[in-house]
Amino acid sequence: MTERISAREAIALVTDSFAELPSPEGTFPPDGPLSWQGYGEARAYAADRTGEEESVVCGTATFGTASFGTTIDGRPPLGPVTAVLVAFEFGFLGGSLGERTGDRLEAAYDHARTHRLPVVALVATGGSRMQEGMLALTQLQRVARQSALTREAGLAQIAVLRDPTTGGGWATLGAGADVTLALPGAQVAFAGSRVRPPDADPAAYTAEAQVAAGSVDALVPQDGLREALALWLDLLTRPSTGAAPVPAALGETTDPPATGWDAVQRARAAERPRAEAYLDAYFTRRAAIGGDRCGGTDDGVLCGFGRAYDGRTVAYAAQRGTPTRPAGYRTAARLIRMAGRLGIPVLTLVDTPGAANDALAERQGAGAAIADLFAAVATARTPVTTLVIGEGGSGGALALAAPGSTWATPDSYFSVIAPESAAAILKRPAAEVRATAAQLRLRPQDLLDLGVIRGISPHLPGG
């Protein structure tokens, strides 16, 4: 487990400069709103021990200056970004939320919206403060509203989950962020350590478990937080207009396939360039999101944000040639909606034989997940550009494709169904699969003639 550090130490660890915001004024009864005997003394002791007046420190901070001219992920960043930063002090009554905590958080979010700044939350909390009863618990509604208003304003929110992050702090500031990072080994759960069932598996209440469940995007070690936050802020705070450029085709084949079956064989060739190769050629650097926020992940779909070769931030959702699972569709839909809120164009790469069709996929809501992605693409608030780079298998591929803005590479195909499946449905012998492929008109040039795609992506020197 990562060693616990104070709020001020965490701030110094990740920022280049920090200016604390003034605390909201107001009176506070000696023992709080419930006249909880001894609460005033507990607060005084916590203040003396930590040097803080409350469980959260709020201010404006700059990120990225110290890295400027060096590297992030091996490449230079573009420069510093200013953000509103809230950091929890766990040493102050377990980082718990009370009325005055809510006052500070509300003021910080209001400052962010007024000055058009993203919000970074360094969370370490045990939940709501019992000595303030329901008045403390209702601060979660207050925080949730501030987060929602900030999201509607098109401002990015990034959370870093420190140890521990439990209760309402996890269920609002943590899980409600656009991008959620966590320290390895940190406790991350809605249930705190003292209120779990006695036979509960402790591994289920960790950051690692939340990553596996699709609720946290990535684990980041404490000494890597500065660069990770600088990269994410750099990517998420630079909206742009216009569609993402169409990637150049990377395969060695430049001529269109002669037959439908040739197109299928090319798309299925093991040596054909895959999503990773296209993303590496398209972006100078990128950062991934992971998980559908509904309990699932799919390694067959890569999603995230990157700096494109033309200098703009572009969001990407790329299939990796495997059957796409419901979590993959939900993660892509999450990405497209987030990109729309932040004013960032989207690139999708289609490459799947189709949606996963096993019993588990049906239990996980395959139909609903695909429908949600169709809706996300159809209502995208920023342009979506699609390139078919391999197999385009039925609705499982079409869900990721942008109507009127889809291209294809010479080593790809797009079809209503795979030719083998089409032949089986039509009760044709295996010998007629190739002829069926021709009838389906699935080659890139066929798709262009039919108006399904806008063009065939050319090969460009250097990619």
Side-chain angles (χ1 to χ4, degrees):
M1 182 184 298
T2 304
E3 179 184 0
R4 289 181 183 174
I5 59 176
S6 70
R8 301 284 176 173
E9 289 172 324
I11 291 169
L13 181 71
V14 301
T15 68
D16 302 312
S17 66
F18 177 76
E20 191 167 352
L21 291 171
S23 299
E25 296 181 358
T27 59
F28 196 75
D31 279 330
L34 304 187
S35 299
W36 186 291
Q37 187 174 0
Y39 179 38
E41 293 179 1
R43 286 182 57 86
Y45 174 75
D48 182 64
R49 187 160 69 97
T50 63
E52 305 296 347
E53 296 178 351
E54 248 303 333
S55 59
V56 66
V57 179
C58 303
T60 57
T62 56
F63 297 79
T65 305
S67 299
F68 188 74
T70 57
T71 61
I72 292 178
D73 288 355
R75 297 179 175 90
L78 292 186
V81 176
T82 300
V84 166
L85 177 66
V86 298
F88 280 76
E89 176 52 71
F90 189 75
F92 192 103
L93 301 179
S96 56
L97 282 80
E99 279 192 289
R100 296 185 73 177
T101 321
D103 291 341
R104 290 191 173 201
L105 291 171
E106 185 173 69
Y109 274 91
D110 183 69
H111 185 87
R113 291 192 300 275
T114 300
H115 297 276
R116 303 293 304 166
L117 299 175
V119 177
V120 175
L122 308 178
V123 189
T125 173
S128 300
R129 197 167 297 170
M130 291 179 296
Q131 296 92 330
E132 296 185 30
M134 279 300 297
L135 292 175
L137 190 63
T138 58
Q139 300 309 304
L140 303 182
Q141 297 170 323
R142 194 177 178 188
V143 172
R145 173 174 169 75
Q146 292 303 312
S147 178
L149 291 173
T150 304
R151 186 178 300 111
E152 290 177 2
L155 301 170
Q157 298 176 71
I158 303 172
V160 176
L161 312 181
R162 297 151 58 211
D163 183 55
T165 298
T166 60
W170 161 230
T172 52
L173 290 165
D178 295 311
V179 174
T180 305
L181 310 175
L183 297 179
Q187 290 185 72
V188 180
F190 187 66
S193 60
R194 298 183 183 181
V195 295
R196 299 168 189 163
D199 59 346
D201 178 7
Y205 300 84
T206 63
E208 287 77 4
Q210 299 295 348
V211 170
S215 297
V216 169
D217 291 296
L219 298 174
V220 180
Q222 195 158 270
D223 60 5
L225 281 178
R226 176 185 288 263
E227 290 191 353
L229 287 173
L231 175 58
W232 272 114
L233 288 167
D234 182 49
L235 292 173
L236 298 184
T237 59
R238 302 182 188 277
S240 60
T241 58
V246 181
L250 299 180
E252 295 182 359
T253 303
T254 59
D255 297 326
T259 69
W261 188 245
D262 287 340
V264 173
Q265 293 298 95
R266 284 186 187 183
R268 293 176 179 174
E271 65 274 12
R272 172 182 57 79
R274 305 286 164 154
E276 291 89 341
Y278 277 92
L279 296 177
D280 287 344
Y282 194 86
F283 294 108
T284 58
R285 63 187 185 276
R286 64 183 191 270
I289 66 168
D292 62 1
R293 298 300 188 261
C294 297
T297 61
D298 181 6
D299 292 338
V301 180
L302 302 174
C303 292
F305 294 80
R307 182 69 63 205
Y309 54 79
D310 66 354
R312 294 189 295 161
T313 295
V314 173
Y316 63 86
Q319 293 169 316
R320 302 178 70 191
T322 59
T324 302
R325 307 205 64 82
Y329 293 115
R330 284 191 286 260
T331 305
R334 174 192 159 210
L335 173 95
I336 291 169
R337 291 188 174 109
M338 188 195 312
R341 291 195 306 271
L342 300 176
I344 296 171
V346 180
L347 170 70
T348 64
L349 301 179
V350 170
D351 185 10
T352 181
N357 58 6
D358 52 32
L360 179 60
E362 293 299 334
R363 294 191 185 101
Q364 292 173 338
I370 295 170
D372 187 50
L373 180 54
F374 269 120
V377 172
T379 60
R381 294 162 61 177
T382 51
V384 180
T385 301
T386 299
L387 180 65
V388 185
I389 63 171
E391 291 193 83
S394 194
L398 187 65
L400 208 61
S405 189
T406 294
W407 282 258
T409 63
D411 49 3
S412 68
Y413 79 86
F414 216 157
S415 178
V416 63
I417 195 170
E420 295 91 342
S421 298
I425 292 172
L426 297 172
K427 298 181 180 180
R428 294 178 176 179
E432 294 188 25
V433 168
R434 296 190 179 192
T436 302
Q439 288 181 289
L440 288 170
R441 297 199 65 189
L442 47 72
R443 300 176 303 169
Q445 61 266 44
D446 296 326
L447 301 171
L448 185 58
D449 290 341
L450 292 169
V452 175
I453 64 173
R454 291 186 60 178
I456 300 174
S457 178
H459 287 71
L460 299 177

